Amino acid sequence: GFVVGHAGLYQALAMFAVAYFIIGMTVLSVCAIATNGALDAGGAYYMISRALGPEFGGSIGIMFFLANVCGSALYVLGLVEAVVDSFGIPPGQEAGTGVHVLPQSYWYELLYGTVLLALCLLVCLVGASIYAKATFLIFLIVAAVLGTILVSFFATRPLKVPIRLPHGNGTETDNGSFTGFSLNTLRDNLGGKYDVDYTTGQMMSFSSVFAVMFNGCTGIMAGSNMSGDLKRPSYSIPRGTISAVLFTYLVYNLLAFLMCATCNRTLLQKDYGFLRDISIFPPLVTVGIYAATLSAAMSNLIGASRILYALARDDLFGQALALAKKTSASGNPVMAVILSWLVVQVVLFSGKLNTIASVVTIFFLLVYATVNLACLALEWASAPNFRPTFRYFTWHTCLLGIAGCCVMMFLISPVSASASLGFLLLLLLALHYLSPSSTWGYISQALIFHQVRKYLLMLDVRKDHVKFWRPQMLLMVQNPRSSARLIDFVNDLKKSGLYVLGHVELQDLDMLPSDPLQPQQDSWLSLVDKLNVKAFVSLTLAPSVRHGVRQLLFTSGLGGMRPNTLVLGFYDDEAPQDGLARHPAFTSAREEVPLGFPPLRAAATPKLLSAREYVGIVADALKMLRNVLLARQLESLDKAWELRRAARPPPTIHVWPVNLLRPDSARYADTCSLFLLQMACVLNMARAWRRARLRLFLCVEAGTMPHAQEEKLRQLLKDLRIQAQIQLVPWDAITHLHWQTCQGPSGGPAEEEEEEEGVVNFPSNTTQVSDEYVRAANKLVLEQRPAPAVRFLYLPRPPADTSLYPLYLHQLELLTRGLGPTVLVHGVSAVTSTQL
């Protein structure tokens, strides 16, 4: 009557259509999720949490709990209004007459609500079985009342109904009319005519009437809320819920039409209990109203308690809800029922039904939207295990349900909707950072997998362009205990590219009962999390380290995301130090080092690979057209100290783009030099290194027009948009040592041969560089002050003759000895661009 009286028949039917469209779409999603596996206590909360993960599940669980709590209070207040309307002393009278003996005031009505709520509490404390029996009895009563009402519309003759309304301190009387079936009455009630609600004194509108009406439709979720108490929830929920939706929709529309055709506007707007006045047996209608509202109040109370119990049992809020876990001997969550009752009691202080109707509706709409979102996510993820036996849904129905809920939320009350979404967001963030990890599975992972696979297929390596080149790193790690700072440093070098931590385990799978790498995977992933680096982990078994690195270079990555740069620690005789135990991520008082990595190799223990094999790995990578970085003494790089020290002077990065081991063919613009410049620039672009300054060293000889070389290099840096300070370094004395000790005539074909992009070309003058010259070059680099945070040096190719590998490594060791953190770089691909 309230809905039809204010909105008219047309708008009332539109409201029912919108409400049941939203509910219908949600019911399809509920049925799909409910038939996709075993359901436990918690209803919609259980579905959402297991589908979307603990963050969404916990936050929506709280919202659904509040919705049911407020809904229970709403129905109790509605029952109080009905009781007072039947038995209350009319306003303006000091003493009651006949059955009108109940005083009316805010505190008396609160008392009546408390007594009625206590009755609901007693039923819910006994358990779900007595609740089910009570609701079945109430169903029979309501069915009888409904039948009586339908008969009354036809059997009752036209009559005038006196209506007493509060007016100031007294009352005034108005007359409503039951006209029987009348075309004029129907015509007058077709359109909307919103007026003041006599219970609250507030002006009604489409949104406020819809908010009150929608609460009469939310009971269809009562079955899913009892999922933990049903014997076969996957069977009962779809059939019961769909039947309830269809039945109530037909009844509401039928009643709306009959009311519009038989009752005038005054009766509908001014007397919400008019069905008693027109009934052939008024006491039965009164009993039916009491029974229906009491049933709805109990339904919401027991639903709220089951949701609270499920939240407590899942430990999403820690000790805050620990009390709600306690159950009776029969398994009834009595403490959750009592806590829910206390919250409902607090909500009763709001006083009037229509006051909290909009808040309750928005909470329910938010929950319904999330149920649809959960089903939509499961459908879009295309997981093979999402096989609901209920198939009458698509992602279109889920999307329509979400859109309908969101639109109606903001139409009802933009402020309340925004506040509810804000509260939901706060809960999401709190649970994301504070709740423990769960074993339910995260739908986000399935959706990410689905999208990543799709985009990887779209990532076409044939469309690669140098303008969009980025480093994609494969860092080989023998033991993370000695490589923590190197792992962190390479993370700064990757520039949003692929980063893979590779490890080779020297074992033969034929001789093992199972794969030994699987138990190690969790330790590596935990390491990545602790160090806060954006890296993948790739482990392999191989008979030798060289074979393992080859495997990883061939197989790491996927599609267009494959490593293009190999990073190795330096091969020297220094004993490894456990940097992991000293790393800030593991030195906090709250953190321990539970990672299952073996202890470090003792200084006297032989290494797992020889010098020849190490250089062979470098040669293999270059043959496979991978860039190579050799990092020496990166574990001594205290990045936090370097970047925190006084701003004057800022930390520096020294760049030596000349091949110091081949002074007779020094070039500054070959592929390798440009790659070296690019890597130094990439490091400088990382957020942690932006304060650092690049210093580029230009080695010049007398009589070679150094200023012209400097200007040419400055122009190159300008074209490449690289900001760096250029410093001229005379090295006549150094090159003189080279020419003095050079054996045989220089300038032969091998020396004149130049590296071209993509061509494998090994220098042949390795044996012609003396140790004295290399030490002098090392001293030249070391003398440049102030000392930098890190140095980038040119890495020459390994010699073609594999017997010279140890000599080649010896020269690299001499060149970088005592330099501190140093990166030797060799690039084989063009990585810089001067074009747009």
Side-chain angles (χ1 to χ4, degrees):
F2 168 80
V3 176
V4 175
H6 287 283
L9 180 61
Y10 290 153
Q11 292 188 36
L13 294 179
M15 287 182 186
F16 292 139
V18 170
Y20 274 86
F21 173 79
I22 293 171
I23 290 169
M25 298 300 102
T26 305
V27 164
L28 295 180
S29 299
V30 167
C31 293
I33 299 174
T35 58
N36 189 53
L39 274 180
D40 206 341
Y45 156 71
Y46 188 86
M47 300 177 193
I48 294 168
S49 62
R50 269 48 178 185
L52 298 183
E55 295 93 345
F56 254 107
S59 52
I60 287 297
I62 289 295
M63 300 295 283
F64 201 24
F65 167 74
L66 293 176
N68 277 277
V69 160
C70 294
S72 182
L74 184 94
Y75 289 118
V76 169
L77 291 173
L79 182 54
V80 169
E81 285 188 13
V83 170
V84 169
D85 192 43
S86 300
F87 303 105
I89 299 173
Q93 294 186 14
E94 295 183 1
T97 58
V99 296
H100 299 281
V101 295
L102 296 178
Q104 292 191 53
S105 71
Y106 169 80
W107 293 107
Y108 273 112
E109 290 177 9
L110 179 62
L111 175 63
Y112 305 150
T114 301
V115 172
L116 293 171
L117 183 60
L119 177 62
C120 296
L121 172 65
L122 289 176
V123 174
C124 295
L125 282 176
V126 173
S129 60
I130 189 67
Y131 165 75
K133 293 174 183 176
T135 51
F136 181 71
L137 178 62
I138 289 171
F139 167 74
L140 295 178
I141 295 172
V142 172
V145 172
L146 181 60
T148 304
I149 289 172
L150 292 176
V151 172
S152 299
F153 280 113
F154 295 91
T156 303
R157 295 184 177 185
L159 57 88
K160 295 288 184 180
V161 180
I163 305 170
R164 286 189 173 185
L165 299 172
H167 181 73
N169 294 325
T171 61
E172 63 178 10
T173 303
D174 201 350
N175 287 315
S177 297
F178 176 77
T179 64
F181 286 96
S182 168
L183 189 60
N184 290 331
T185 303
L186 178 62
R187 191 181 297 114
D188 291 340
N189 289 328
L190 289 178
K193 187 178 179 182
Y194 295 99
D195 203 346
V196 175
D197 172 27
Y198 72 87
T199 64
T200 62
Q202 297 176 351
M203 186 67 186
M204 293 292 99
S205 63
F206 181 91
S207 59
S208 58
V209 172
F210 179 86
V212 175
M213 182 277 300
F214 190 81
N215 286 286
C217 311
T218 56
I220 55 99
M221 294 292 281
S224 64
N225 288 343
M226 297 290 294
S227 57
D229 300 295
L230 298 173
K231 290 182 179 178
R232 297 171 61 193
S234 297
Y235 175 86
S236 303
I237 288 175
R239 285 161 178 77
T241 306
I242 292 175
S243 301
V245 169
L246 294 176
F247 180 75
T248 54
Y249 180 65
L250 292 174
V251 169
Y252 282 157
N253 280 275
L254 178 60
L255 288 176
F257 174 77
L258 293 175
M259 290 175 185
C260 283
T262 58
C263 304
N264 74 349
R265 184 83 66 171
T266 303
L267 182 63
L268 294 172
Q269 286 187 345
K270 305 299 184 184
D271 185 7
Y272 299 155
F274 71 94
L275 289 176
R276 283 192 308 270
D277 302 318
I278 68 171
S279 173
I280 57 175
F281 189 52
L284 186 60
V285 175
T286 303
V287 172
I289 293 172
Y290 296 168
T293 48
L294 192 64
S295 170
M298 283 193 296
S299 171
N300 280 270
L301 179 60
I302 202 166
S305 67
R306 279 2 183 219
I307 295 165
L308 187 64
Y309 172 65
L311 283 166
R313 197 175 59 177
D314 287 338
D315 274 331
L316 295 183
F317 295 89
Q319 293 300 313
L321 297 180
L323 191 62
K325 293 182 186 179
K326 300 190 176 184
T327 62
S328 64
S330 60
N332 186 31
V334 289
M335 290 309 301
V337 173
I338 293 172
L339 291 173
S340 302
W341 166 74
L342 287 173
V343 181
V344 176
Q345 184 64 55
V346 171
V347 178
L348 285 180
F349 282 93
S350 62
K352 289 294 181 182
L353 180 152
N354 293 353
T355 306
I356 60 172
S358 61
V359 176
V360 177
T361 300
I362 285 171
F363 278 177
F364 273 111
L365 284 169
L366 196 56
V367 173
Y368 291 173
T370 315
V371 170
N372 284 299
L373 177 63
C375 190
L376 178 68
L378 289 169
E379 178 70 7
W380 274 356
S382 300
N385 283 321
F386 183 59
R387 298 189 298 270
T389 56
F390 181 87
R391 296 302 305 165
Y392 301 103
F393 78 100
T394 68
W395 65 267
H396 304 86
T397 60
C398 303
L399 208 56
L400 287 172
I402 295 171
C405 291
C406 294
V407 169
M408 289 314 302
M409 278 170 55
F410 284 93
L411 281 180
I412 291 169
S413 174
V415 175
S416 298
S418 302
S420 299
L421 287 173
F423 181 56
L424 176 65
L425 184 61
L426 286 175
L427 286 172
L428 274 171
L429 292 174
L431 286 171
H432 178 73
Y433 289 106
L434 300 178
S435 71
S437 59
S438 73
T439 58
W440 308 334
Y442 292 81
I443 189 65
S444 58
Q445 296 299 303
L447 289 171
I448 290 169
F449 177 89
H450 186 266
Q451 293 301 107
V452 167
R453 180 194 63 83
K454 183 169 70 174
Y455 286 120
L456 272 175
L457 290 171
M458 296 169 61
L459 190 60
D460 192 343
V461 293
R462 295 167 296 183
K463 297 179 182 178
D464 281 349
H465 193 279
V466 66
K467 289 188 298 184
F468 307 112
W469 179 91
R470 65 182 72 240
Q472 306 202 74
M473 304 292 198
L474 171 61
L475 170 62
M476 297 306 304
V477 180
Q478 196 273 323
N479 191 330
R481 294 187 181 279
S482 61
S483 308
R485 287 181 174 171
L486 176 57
I487 293 171
D488 184 59
F489 177 78
V490 178
N491 187 61
D492 291 335
L493 270 180
K494 72 180 187 308
K495 187 56 180 174
S496 303
L498 178 69
Y499 183 18
V500 180
L501 298 180
H503 173 71
V504 179
E505 193 78 14
L506 298 182
Q507 296 192 56
D508 185 357
L509 191 59
D510 290 338
M511 308 300 293
L512 298 170
S514 62
D515 180 9
L517 299 179
Q518 290 300 324
Q520 298 182 29
Q521 191 78 18
D522 286 345
S523 293
W524 284 86
L525 293 176
S526 298
L527 174 77
V528 168
D529 292 339
K530 293 284 187 184
L531 295 180
N532 195 26
V533 295
K534 296 181 175 66
F536 298 95
V537 174
S538 188
L539 312 179
T540 188
L541 284 176
S544 69
V545 176
R546 187 174 182 182
H547 281 86
V549 176
R550 282 180 186 169
Q551 290 176 20
L552 293 176
L553 285 173
F554 277 125
T555 61
S556 291
L558 199 62
M561 293 188 67
R562 292 185 178 276
N564 56 28
T565 303
L566 174 67
V567 186
L568 302 172
F570 198 77
Y571 190 96
D572 54 26
D573 295 326
E574 294 182 10
Q577 302 294 321
D578 192 345
L580 201 60
R582 301 192 305 271
H583 195 279
F586 297 93
T587 53
S588 168
R590 297 175 299 155
E591 302 285 355
E592 298 178 358
V593 187
L595 305 178
F597 299 117
L600 290 173
R601 172 183 61 85
T605 306
K607 298 180 180 179
L608 295 178
L609 76 166
S610 64
R612 187 184 299 271
E613 188 178 8
Y614 176 83
V615 179
I617 292 172
V618 176
D620 290 344
L622 296 177
K623 287 178 184 178
M624 298 165 68
L625 297 182
R626 303 298 202 277
N627 310 299
V628 176
L629 274 61
L630 305 183
R632 185 172 191 185
Q633 294 186 351
L634 260 297
E635 286 305 300
S636 67
L637 172 63
D638 189 346
K639 184 177 74 172
W641 181 84
E642 288 285 354
L643 302 177
R644 273 201 316 263
R645 65 183 182 177
R648 303 290 184 186
T652 57
I653 301 171
H654 286 189
V655 183
W656 294 79
V658 67
N659 186 352
L660 294 173
L661 294 184
R662 195 174 176 186
D664 50 341
S665 62
R667 299 177 60 200
Y668 285 95
D670 65 2
T671 299
C672 185
S673 297
L674 292 177
F675 181 80
L676 189 150
L677 278 173
Q678 181 81 322
M679 295 311 298
C681 181
V682 165
L683 180 66
N684 194 206
M685 292 169 71
R687 179 178 300 175
W689 291 87
R690 284 178 186 167
R691 281 191 56 248
R693 297 290 179 265
L694 289 181
R695 292 184 68 193
L696 190 60
F697 293 92
L698 178 60
C699 297
V700 295
E701 297 181 60
T704 57
M705 302 178 65
H707 293 293
Q709 293 183 41
E710 180 184 4
E711 188 58 34
K712 185 177 179 181
L713 183 57
R714 196 178 302 279
Q715 183 61 41
L716 174 65
L717 294 176
K718 182 179 179 182
D719 292 341
L720 296 176
R721 289 90 60 204
I722 296 175
Q723 295 183 357
Q725 175 192 350
I726 299 176
Q727 182 169 334
L728 300 180
V729 179
W731 72 330
D732 298 82
I734 313 299
T735 55
H736 180 70
L737 285 174
H738 172 67
W739 297 120
Q740 264 190 339
T741 58
C742 193
Q743 300 296 321
S746 64
E751 283 75 6
E752 292 173 359
E753 194 172 29
E754 295 180 349
E755 281 186 26
E756 297 296 336
E757 182 180 340
V759 178
V760 179
N761 172 38
F762 297 92
S764 62
N765 69 338
T766 303
T767 56
Q768 299 177 9
V769 177
S770 66
D771 286 359
E772 185 182 9
Y773 163 78
V774 177
R775 289 191 185 93
N778 169 265
K779 184 179 178 183
L780 177 71
V781 174
L782 193 59
E783 286 175 346
Q784 308 307 315
R785 297 293 175 180
V790 64
R791 291 180 172 90
F792 283 84
L793 302 183
Y794 190 113
L795 173 67
R797 284 181 177 271
D801 185 355
T802 58
S803 64
L804 298 178
Y805 281 1
L807 177 60
Y808 169 80
L809 188 59
H810 170 68
Q811 291 173 355
L812 294 181
E813 194 280 328
L814 282 180
L815 179 65
T816 57
R817 183 180 294 174
L819 294 184
T822 304
V823 182
L824 292 159
V825 181
H826 191 97
V828 296
S829 56
V831 296
T832 56
S833 173
T834 59
Q835 299 176 351
L836 283 176

